[in-house]
Every structure is written in structure tokens, then in C-alpha cells.
Amino acid sequence: MRRAEALATAADRTAAAKLDEAVGLARAIDLDVVNSGIVMLGQLRPATYLGKGKVEEIAGLVKSSDVGIVVMDCALTPVQQRNLETEWNAKVLDRTSLILEIFGRRARTREGTLQVEHAHLTYQKSRLVRTWTHLERQRGGFGFLGGPGETQLEADRRLIEERLAKIENELGKVKRTRELHRESRRRVPYPIVALVGYTNAGKSTLFNRMTQASVLSADMLFATLDPTLRAVNLPHGARIILSDTVGFISDLPTMLIAAFRATLEEVIEADVILHVRDVSHEDAEAQLADVEDILRQLGVDPHAPDGKPALIEVWNKIDRLDPAERLRLANIAERRPQAERPILVSAITGEGIEALDAAIEERLSAGRVLIELNLDPADGAGVSWLHRHTEVIHKAVDDHGRIAMTVRAAPERAASVKAKFAH
Ligand SMILES: Nc1nc2c(ncn2[C@@H]2O[C@H](COP(=O)(O)OP(=O)(O)O)[C@@H](O)[C@H]2O)c(=O)[nH]1
Ligand SMILES: [Mg+2]
């Protein structure tokens, strides 16, 4: 009896976790979620997926709250989607459509955009095929070709295939020039810190928390870039660019994996990766394994000593833990070697953020070289060159009227800086 109850509770929690994730995904494209709930399914209705009573109940909700979009966290056939849209007089998105919508908005590179379109078309194509086989079966099996339905479907499919072939061709070209782009991106003088982690782990909340305190959040240079990139001043003077990324999604449909990876490409260029984890989540361990798996596929070893990029695990939402669990995690963290020590934070309350800032600064300075320079006061061009190409830590006029500057740069740049200002 006890056991049965416990199982039931565990199942409820899983459903609740899935619902949380779906709500998080909807928020990721700025939807205002007015209602959410779990539907118990008796049997699947081919025409509407849900049973009649449920369809009517939701129709009432849609009407009374003036809802424009209903998200169903499942896979719908085109027919089901169309029927529900008619019943509810609202747009209906299934899980894959919602995820594609997010990827589409967040793709920053040409490759990302192409990969997302590729996934979109592949999805559409698979749905065409499904309807087609369905029709075939309805009409009594194989060999029954011809008729207006099939012709249209065949034409649709051919159009999609042509477009897919074009995209694949272009993707090949884009990949060949990718390295070049990466080099030009590297001219940004500040180190890049990228936030990765599951949807709902708290990446955006942490991003806001870290940029909020910074006087640089309205930095002119970056204000025009997309809102997921911000320049931030860390307490000890290091200046970074913080980059929020598309979150990981549990049970990501296979055909979306390439598109997802493309949206994460920029992570490889980061100097530091913050892996944000919701340690209060029941699936925290499985999520950890998923994220590390994808990072490895991108060529990032999450446990490499002196790894480039360096990776810091951020154990978020500690405010949700009871004192015993919090202590247990703090002890585990404490026992790890310094270079791999996770930082416990709450992005909501701000607890642990200073320790996180310090850990980032430490990782950054580990790989970068400090250079002391002494410039002629008339050398305005030199000063601005340094501001563009290095991280200026300190600048003052010394007793002899010369400009003393302390700058920090990646080792590969340090030599050219020293050569330029040697005297
Ligand atoms: N209790 C608690 N909730 C948090 C914390 N950080 C984020 N959240 C909540 O978790 C949800 C997802 O956060 P969000 O930043 O959007 O996650 P993202 O998908 O990783 O960007 C939101 O409802 C946040 O308010 C935290 O430290 N503690
Ligand atoms: Mg987010």
C-alpha cells in the first residue's frame, strides 16, 4: 500500500516536472502563460487527440481568458492540430513546433538558421508521410495511387525535398567558412562567458542577476546586439561578455538535435562555460549527464584539467533545498579540487553570486597574461588601441606624467602587445 502511494507520487512529480518544462519553453518565446494543467488521457482520439469533454472544457478556458495559443506538450498530427484550432479558435502548437519556434528565434548564425529551417522542413515532411500512409490505409491498402489527395501531397513533398537539398548544399558551404568567422569574432577584446544548462535551470534569471549589478549593462558597444549578450564588469575589474544560450530540453526529438547543436556552436568559442544546474530538480543527475554528453559532442571536455574553455558548474536554486540537503551538497562541493569546485548559488536571492564572480575571475586570469605598460601622454592612439584589443585593468598618470597601464590579454596576443609598446 505504502509503495503504491509512493509510486503514484513519483509519477505525479514527473508529470509536474514535464509541465514545468513546457511552461518554461513557452516563456522562452515570451508567451504569457495564463493557464496550465495535466490532462489524464483515457484513449487517444484520432481526430482531436483529446476526448470530447476535454476539448470543450479547454474551449471554455480559451474563450474566457481570451487565449491566442494553446501549447500541447505532445506530438499532434496535422489533422488533430487543424481540428483543435477550429474547435478552440486559437493557434495550436505541439511540442516539436514550440521547440522549433524557440530555435528559430535564437539562432544567431547563418548555420543555426539553416539548421533550424532544415529541421522544420524535415518535420513537415514526416507529417506529410504520416498523413499519406494514413490515407492509403483508409482507402484499402497499397497500390491505390492517383486521386487529388495524393497528387497534392506528392507535390508538397517534392517541394520540401527540393528546399531541403538546397539547404544541405548551403550548409556545406557555411561550415567551410565557419572557421573564418570564428577568427573575426575573436577580435572582441573581452573574454566570453557562456551560460548553458537545461531549460528552467535558471540561466536567464542568473544572467539578469549578474548583469543587473553591472553599470555596463547599457554598454553602447553591445546595446545593439541581441539581448542575450551583455558586457559585465566583475568586482575586481575583469570585463566579460555574458552570453545566455538556448536551454537543453528533455527528450529532444531526434530530428531537432542538429539544429540544437548549431544554436550552441558559440559555446565552443567561450573562454568560460557556466553550466547552470537546478540542483533542486528530481532529474538533476540525468540532466547533468545529458549536458556533458552534448558538450563532448561539441568538442568540449567538461572535466579536462586546464580545459579550454574552462567550465564552472553552478548549482542553482539552493534556496529551495532544506538545510540538511544544502549542507550535504556544500560538503560535496567542498571536497572537489578547487579547479572543479561547483559554486552554490540562488539566482533568485543572490546568494553565492559573489563567489561565482570570483570563480570566473580566477578562471579567466589563469589563462591570461598581465602586462604593465608605460605610455607617452601624447599616445592617444596607443591608449585606444589597448582599449580595443586588451582588457584594461588599471590606468593612471604616474609621477613623471606618463600613462601607466595594466592590461590583460590572452597569451597569444600578449607578445604583440609587448612588441608594440616596447621602448
Ligand atoms: N527558487 C528559485 N527559483 C529560481 C532560481 N533561479 C531561477 N528560478 C526560477 O526557475 C524558473 C526558470 O528560470 P529561468 O531563468 O527562466 O530558466 P532558464 O530556462 O534556464 O533561462 C523561473 O520560474 C525562475 O523564477 C533560484 O535560484 N531559486
Ligand atoms: Mg532562459
Side-chain angles (χ1 to χ4, degrees):
M1 192 60 198
R2 267 234 173 109
R3 178 167 296 180
E5 266 171 27
L7 277 177
T9 318
D12 287 350
R13 272 180 55 206
T14 307
K18 283 193 174 143
L19 182 62
D20 271 355
E21 184 193 70
V23 170
L25 292 175
R27 291 216 183 96
I29 49 167
D30 302 321
L31 295 180
D32 174 17
V33 182
V34 294
N35 205 310
S36 65
I38 297 163
V39 176
M40 296 295 169
L41 286 176
Q43 76 186 108
L44 289 185
R45 302 297 163 116
T48 53
Y49 191 85
L50 303 169
K52 194 165 184 293
K54 205 68 202 176
V55 171
E56 278 167 10
E57 185 191 324
I58 293 174
L61 281 173
V62 167
K63 200 154 185 218
S64 63
S65 314
D66 199 19
V67 164
I69 298 177
V70 179
V71 175
M72 307 256 294
D73 190 27
C74 60
L76 295 176
T77 66
V79 173
Q80 289 167 343
Q81 184 187 5
R82 204 175 323 123
N83 287 340
L84 288 173
E85 285 185 340
T86 312
E87 293 277 351
W88 294 338
N89 194 23
K91 190 169 169 48
V92 173
L93 287 180
D94 72 355
R95 184 176 167 82
T96 302
S97 316
L98 176 64
I99 296 171
L100 280 168
E101 195 67 39
I102 296 172
F103 288 0
R105 287 203 191 191
R106 297 291 296 271
R108 250 181 228 149
T109 58
R110 180 83 188 120
E111 182 180 1
T113 313
L114 287 170
Q115 289 281 16
V116 173
E117 193 185 349
H118 192 277
H120 221 135
L121 290 168
T122 310
Y123 182 55
Q124 280 181 6
K125 192 174 126 190
S126 77
R127 285 156 48 110
L128 282 184
V129 172
R130 203 177 303 147
T131 325
W132 195 54
T133 19
H134 176 66
L135 264 182
E136 236 176 25
R137 225 178 285 128
Q138 265 190 345
R139 294 186 185 182
F142 305 102
F144 195 96
L145 291 174
E150 280 93 342
T151 314
Q152 184 56 47
L153 285 164
E154 282 291 87
D156 284 352
R157 182 149 53 164
R158 192 168 37 74
L159 278 178
I160 290 181
E161 272 162 6
E162 278 167 16
R163 180 70 195 139
L164 278 173
K166 279 213 187 88
I167 293 176
E168 279 157 22
N169 187 344
E170 208 169 327
L171 269 172
K173 284 188 220 149
V174 168
K175 278 182 184 157
R176 284 193 289 281
T177 54
R178 191 202 285 155
E179 290 302 320
L180 290 171
H181 287 297
R182 203 167 277 165
E183 262 169 35
S184 69
R185 288 266 302 263
R186 281 280 66 179
R187 290 200 198 110
V188 180
Y190 316 124
I192 297 173
V193 176
L195 296 159
V196 306
Y198 258 87
T199 283
N200 277 350
K203 293 180 302 300
S204 301
T205 311
L206 186 64
F207 180 85
N208 289 333
R209 164 72 59 184
M210 290 174 74
T211 50
Q212 197 179 57
S214 171
V215 282
L216 284 170
S217 48
D219 192 288
M220 287 309 291
L221 187 55
F222 302 103
T224 49
L225 292 180
D226 67 301
T228 57
L229 284 180
R230 283 280 168 77
V232 178
N233 250 0
L234 293 176
H236 297 287
R239 198 185 219 198
I240 58 167
I241 293 170
L242 199 62
S243 153
D244 195 0
T245 67
V246 169
F248 282 62
I249 295 159
S250 58
D251 309 319
L252 186 66
T254 325
M255 70 179 76
L256 303 190
I257 291 177
F260 173 62
R261 260 194 235 140
T263 66
L264 265 191
E265 273 286 329
E266 66 203 67
V267 165
I268 313 171
E269 296 166 51
D271 296 85
V272 176
I273 294 174
L274 299 185
H275 175 185
V276 183
R277 301 183 54 204
D278 173 359
V279 287
S280 73
H281 197 284
E282 56 174 331
D283 292 330
E285 290 306 311
Q287 293 184 341
L288 170 72
D290 286 352
V291 173
E292 295 195 334
D293 208 37
I294 296 276
L295 287 176
R296 277 189 207 98
Q297 288 173 28
L298 288 169
V300 175
D301 179 353
H303 297 291
D306 311 317
K308 171 79 181 65
L311 184 139
I312 302 174
E313 266 186 47
V314 181
W315 288 4
N316 190 32
K317 306 203 187 181
I318 53 168
D319 59 288
R320 298 187 64 195
L321 305 175
D322 61 43
E325 180 62 5
R326 184 192 275 236
L327 188 63
R328 191 181 74 83
L329 291 183
N331 282 333
I332 294 173
E334 198 54 45
R335 281 197 295 272
R336 299 244 181 107
Q338 167 122 16
E340 287 177 36
R341 193 166 298 155
I343 310 291
L344 278 65
V345 308
S346 165
I348 288 270
T349 69
E351 188 181 351
I353 301 299
E354 280 155 35
L356 178 59
D357 285 341
I360 295 171
E361 291 202 302
E362 193 191 294
R363 299 295 201 288
L364 286 178
S365 53
R368 292 162 79 87
V369 185
L370 268 187
I371 310 160
E372 307 266 358
L373 297 166
N374 196 287
L375 278 71
D376 190 294
D379 191 5
V383 172
S384 69
W385 187 92
L386 286 168
H387 275 289
R388 273 195 319 270
H389 295 96
T390 70
E391 186 189 334
V392 176
I393 306 286
H394 184 75
K395 187 172 104 185
V397 179
D398 71 12
D399 297 345
H400 311 286
R402 294 182 63 86
I403 302 171
M405 286 179 80
T406 306
V407 303
R408 190 152 58 191
E412 62 269 23
R413 171 154 291 159
S416 66
V417 174
K418 283 180 187 154
K420 191 172 166 67
F421 294 94
H423 36 229

